Structures are given as C-alpha cells and as structure tokens.
Amino acid sequence: MKIALFDDWRVGIVMDDTIADVTSQVPAWDPKWPYNWMLSLIEDFVNIRPRLESAASAAPKLALSNVKLRPPVPVPTKIVAAPVNYALHQQEMGGEGGVYAGAQIKTIEDYGLFLKPSSAIVGHEDTITLPFVKRRTDHEAEIGIVIGKKAFNVTEDDADSVIFGVTGLLDLSVRGQEDRPFRKGFDGFCPIGPWIVTLDELPSLDAMTFRLWVNDDLRQNGNTQNMIYSMRRLVALASYQCTLFPGDIIASGTPAGVGEVRPGDTLHLQVDGVGDLIIHVSRQFAEPAVGMGPWFDKFQSARGAPQ
Ligand code: MN
C-alpha cells in the first residue's frame, strides 16, 4: 500500500496516478501540529488497514496532480542516519580533498550513526533554502526506512517485523568540519516522500534501484545491493543504540555521485517501486537575523576541507 499525506494533512491511499481520501478512517486525526496520529496509524496499521482498504475502494479518486503532497511522516521522534554506507561513495569522500589522506578510509564502524532533527523534514514539491552563501551544500540520494513498531535490540533476522515500509529521502549536507548533526540538520535538509510504500509491496530491500537528477543532470544512480550495511543491519544497529518508535526513519546512506546543490536547482529523486520526490532549491540563501554578530561570519565561510 502507498500511504500519503496531502493538502491539509489528510490521509490518502495512492493508486496509479490517483489518491483516495481515507482520512475518515484514521483515529484521532487532527490537522494541527504535531500530527502524532500518523505515528499511531503506523503503529496500529495491521488493525486499521482493512478499514483503509475498504474506504479507499469506495472513496472518489482525486488526481495526484491536483493535490499538495506532504511529508508522509511529518514529525518522527527521530531520524537515524548512516554515514558512508556505499563503497564507491566511501572512496569519493576519502579522496576528496585528501581528508583522510594516508589514513584508512573510515566506515560506520568508525563513525557509528548520527541523528537528524525532525524539523529538517519537508515533502514533495517543497522548496528548501540553503543556509550558507560561501559554503558548499551537497545532495545525498537515499532511501528512508520507516519503522513500524517500538523496537529495541532487534536482530537482522527480525528486522522485517519492525519495518513499516520505505520512502525516498534526501540527506542534504553542508560540507565542512563540524559534526554531522549540525551540517545535516538545517530546516529542509531531510526531504522525504512522495509517500510510504509498505514493506509487503516491495519485492526486495536488498535490490532497490534509485536515481537522482539535479535539473536534467543525472548525478546518482544507486542500488541497495551495494550497501555496506544492509537496511536490516542498520535497523539492528540503530535499535541497539536507541529504542526506535513507530514512524522513526533511518536514512540508509548514499551511493557515489554526491554533488553541489545551487540556488534555483530542482532535485528529482526517483526510487523504483516507490515514486518520484521533487524538491526545489530557493534562489535566495537564508539570511541571518540582523545583529547576529561577527561571530556568525565564521559559519558563513568555508571551514577547512569538505567532509
Ligand atoms: Mn547521508
């Protein structure tokens, strides 16, 4: 099943190029932030699904092109993200600027995982604003694993029992020397969507293909079979560190081809079996508040080699 949020945070089931409004079947639905009912819907999905399916078959079908899609999990309790998790990306980051020159290229086993704030989430056709004029911001095309159940310390073999589904995900990243949660945590730096596809509808987590274009330029072309840590192993590792809650998202890492995003660009992530996520980049950079002080200029300037 493809589950989307649209317009005023209504809940829809996507079928081909239409969407059926099933909001009336969602317990405690409320269009006001923080949309916790979406996390409850995910947690109780097995029980609610039959009602959603019968409502979807009876509801009028709206054209997808006539609705405004929203991020399918607007406020997860956390986004856990994998750093370098594809061998070719590992090489490009190791080689770039000689950051790790002379040293062994590092992996998840050196870095562990990191967190992105839920405030970074935006959805399909939203516009993001780059924070720093003088610094490079990159796109990272990824797949987001959406957790379905409260989970602690699950094994790889049991991971499917706590995975709700997947969605497209972009891990926007300012390059520089600060810790990842700062460089990757700006508002708009975690586009997800266009919707969630439930696990039962996916042929394989280990052979998913996806591509990212910047404007018309194909930049990334990935296959999850090339992941260093598989999606199931990421679920195991993340759940060993912290209890995962329904709706939590794991950003599974990016393949080779990351590159700069510039004002005015359009990003197009296509995940086979899921869909297309389009993100616009504002022509204007974010402006610091007047009076932020000269200390802020240090953040605006390039700080060492990209990372
Ligand atoms: Mn990433």
Side-chain angles (χ1 to χ4, degrees):
M1 184 180 278
K2 295 184 172 75
I3 302 169
L5 300 183
F6 69 101
D7 292 348
D8 192 14
W9 303 101
R10 301 189 70 77
V11 182
I13 306 302
V14 175
M15 289 168 285
D16 301 319
D17 55 356
T18 68
I19 186 166
D21 189 334
V22 296
T23 309
S24 64
Q25 302 304 312
V26 176
W29 180 83
D30 187 328
K32 292 199 296 292
W33 185 88
Y35 323 109
N36 284 340
W37 46 266
M38 186 60 192
L39 308 186
S40 297
L41 173 64
I42 289 171
E43 182 174 38
D44 298 335
F45 185 71
V46 172
N47 297 320
I48 299 170
R49 181 173 188 155
R51 285 152 55 192
L52 298 181
E53 285 172 337
S54 58
S57 60
K61 311 292 183 290
L62 308 167
L64 265 176
S65 55
N66 285 343
V67 304
K68 165 59 184 167
L69 288 169
R70 302 286 180 180
V73 187
V75 193
T77 78
K78 57 191 163 297
I79 302 153
V80 183
V84 283
N85 197 28
Y86 284 79
L88 288 175
H89 175 57
Q90 189 184 44
Q91 288 171 17
E92 76 181 351
M93 297 314 288
E96 187 179 322
V99 177
Y100 308 125
Q104 191 178 1
I105 295 170
K106 296 181 180 179
T107 69
I108 285 174
E109 283 146 25
D110 300 288
Y111 294 121
L113 304 173
F114 65 95
L115 293 173
K116 287 168 78 83
S118 56
S119 45
I121 283 182
V122 292
H124 181 63
E125 292 280 7
D126 281 345
T127 298
I128 66 171
T129 304
L130 303 181
F132 296 133
V133 174
K134 295 178 185 172
R135 297 182 60 176
R136 175 172 156 175
T137 298
D138 279 4
H139 55 79
E140 295 190 352
E142 309 200 3
I143 291 176
I145 307 162
V146 183
I147 297 298
K149 289 192 178 77
K150 189 174 174 183
F152 181 74
N153 215 6
V154 299
T155 64
E156 283 180 70
D157 288 346
D158 289 338
D160 282 10
S161 69
V162 304
I163 296 174
F164 178 65
V166 304
T167 189
L169 185 149
L170 295 174
D171 176 21
L172 276 295
S173 309
V174 171
R175 295 300 169 200
Q177 301 287 1
E178 300 97 342
D179 288 344
R180 284 181 173 78
F182 180 78
R183 294 186 289 104
K184 294 165 171 271
F186 292 92
D187 275 18
F189 271 29
C190 193
I192 58 170
W195 40 69
I196 301 168
V197 179
T198 53
L199 186 61
D200 59 287
E201 208 168 286
L202 297 163
S204 169
L205 290 180
D206 297 320
M208 294 186 68
T209 51
F210 56 105
R211 290 161 292 285
L212 179 105
W213 292 265
V214 177
N215 306 319
D216 292 326
D217 184 18
L218 178 65
R219 295 272 187 90
Q220 295 188 266
N221 193 347
N223 188 317
T224 58
Q225 71 188 4
N226 297 320
M227 294 170 78
I228 298 169
Y229 272 42
S230 71
M231 294 207 225
R232 293 180 177 94
R233 183 171 291 186
L234 289 175
V235 169
L237 178 62
S239 75
Y240 178 74
Q241 185 207 2
C242 52
T243 299
L244 301 175
F245 292 101
D248 281 359
I249 294 170
I250 299 178
S252 55
T254 196
V258 301
E260 187 171 10
V261 171
R262 294 175 181 278
D265 281 346
T266 297
L267 312 180
H268 175 187
L269 173 66
Q270 182 175 71
V271 182
D272 291 331
V274 180
D276 296 85
L277 174 66
I278 307 283
I279 295 295
H280 306 286
V281 182
S282 171
R283 294 190 176 279
Q284 304 292 324
F285 284 94
E287 286 279 349
V290 173
M292 284 280 270
W295 59 266
F296 188 80
D297 294 341
K298 294 179 182 172
F299 290 93
Q300 288 278 32
S301 302
R303 292 162 63 85
Q307 188 176 110

